[in-house]
């Protein structure tokens, strides 16, 4: 009984995060969902594409239930990094629709297998795994990239949260300006304090 509850709980959390990832694209133009927003090229549509590739792999190949559509290979050096951004020929709709098809495929695997069903992840140091390991890993991976998406979307239009209900800050811009100023003052004061302590310690050593 506890195994079934554990599987349902992890699966439910994964479903929530998947929807949050797609919601991060809502209301943005083509350029903003595609353009690099970090020095490594991280972008919103690329994060969705990346998650679709890896969820298909973890709940597909790892349990001998391969996803039917071609995707960039993890072991092909020529395609390394191709899952992290969208080319000009890939539409937003294609990437989103494929992510949803990956959900269906992954959900079928999760539903069909017990939480202790064996799998094999050849790119892991310890490749022999259980469904539990893969569920936890994919939940962690999706959470991590949902956090990335939170920051990227906030940079674009100040939208935050996981659903439209929480899309905008609940206080006015003046509140957030004052809040950021307070944090800035605390950061500067911490540096000044560390400098004073360092100077005092250096003097004591003389």
């Amino acid at each position: 009984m506890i195994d079934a509850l554990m599987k349902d709980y992890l699966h439910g959390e994964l479903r929530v995060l998947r929807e949050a990832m797609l919601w991060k694209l809502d209301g943005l133009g083509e350029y903003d969902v595609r353009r690099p927003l970090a020095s490594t090229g991280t972008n919103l549509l690329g994060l969705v594409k990346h998650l679709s590739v890896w969820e298909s792999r973890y709940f597909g190949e790892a349990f001998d239930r391969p996803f039917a559509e071609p995707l960039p290979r993890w072991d092909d050096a020529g395609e390394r990094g191709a899952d992290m951004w969208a080319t000009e020929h890939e539409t937003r709709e294609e990437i989103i629709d494929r992510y949803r098809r990956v959900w269906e495929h992954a959900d079928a695997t999760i539903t069909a297998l017990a939480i202790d069903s064996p799998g094999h992840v050849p790119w892991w140091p310890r490749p022999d795994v259980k469904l539990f390991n893969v569920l936890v890993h994919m939940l962690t991976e999706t959470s991590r990239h949902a956090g990335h998406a939170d920051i990227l979307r906030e940079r674009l239009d100040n939208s935050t949260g996981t659903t439209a209900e929480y899309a905008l800050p609940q206080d006015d811009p003046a509140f957030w300006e004052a809040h950021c100023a307070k944090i800035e003052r605390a950061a500067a004061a911490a540096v000044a304090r560390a400098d004073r302590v360092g100077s005092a310690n250096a003097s004591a050593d003389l």
Side-chain angles (χ1 to χ4, degrees):
M1 175 62 117
I2 189 67
D3 286 351
L5 289 173
M6 187 187 308
K7 186 174 81 166
D8 288 347
Y9 177 78
L10 294 172
H11 194 185
E13 292 295 300
L14 179 59
R15 285 182 168 122
V16 170
L17 286 169
R18 290 165 171 169
E19 293 288 355
M21 285 299 305
L22 291 187
W23 177 76
K24 291 298 178 182
L25 305 178
D26 283 359
L28 294 177
E30 284 301 314
Y31 179 62
D32 280 340
V33 299
R34 295 167 179 270
R35 66 185 175 108
L37 293 165
S39 60
T40 55
T42 306
N43 61 94
L44 288 167
L45 193 58
L47 290 174
V48 171
K49 181 180 176 182
H50 172 74
L51 286 172
S52 69
V53 168
W54 284 99
E55 186 165 332
S56 72
R57 186 149 296 134
Y58 277 114
F59 294 112
E61 293 174 36
F63 296 98
D64 199 25
R65 299 167 62 97
F67 186 62
E69 301 174 34
L71 292 168
R73 290 286 309 170
W74 66 273
D75 52 358
D76 183 345
E79 290 198 297
R80 191 157 296 157
D83 59 319
M84 292 297 295
W85 61 285
T87 72
E88 62 185 289
H89 303 294
E90 293 177 293
T91 69
R92 180 198 313 221
E93 290 72 21
E94 287 171 348
I95 290 173
I96 289 173
D97 288 347
R98 182 172 61 196
Y99 192 28
R100 291 190 181 280
R101 292 193 299 277
V102 166
W103 297 358
E104 294 175 2
H105 178 260
D107 289 347
T109 295
I110 296 167
T111 299
L113 301 180
I115 200 164
D116 60 350
S117 294
H120 188 76
V121 183
W123 53 92
W124 281 11
R126 296 180 178 177
D128 293 326
V129 298
K130 305 290 186 185
L131 179 63
F132 171 77
N133 305 113
V134 172
L135 260 172
V136 170
H137 177 81
M138 202 62 231
L139 180 58
T140 302
E141 178 83 352
T142 308
S143 297
R144 177 170 174 259
H145 291 310
H148 294 153
D150 281 340
I151 298 300
L152 298 186
R153 183 64 191 259
E154 187 175 351
R155 282 192 60 194
L156 288 170
D157 65 359
N158 296 322
S159 294
T160 60
T162 56
T163 63
E165 181 182 1
Y166 304 108
L168 296 173
Q170 300 302 303
D171 294 286
D172 61 40
F175 168 85
W176 290 108
E177 184 177 350
H179 182 65
C180 288
K182 177 172 66 176
I183 296 172
E184 177 67 31
R185 289 193 300 273
V191 172
R193 180 179 181 278
D195 288 344
R196 289 195 303 271
V197 170
S199 296
N201 289 340
S203 298
D205 290 339
L206 294 178

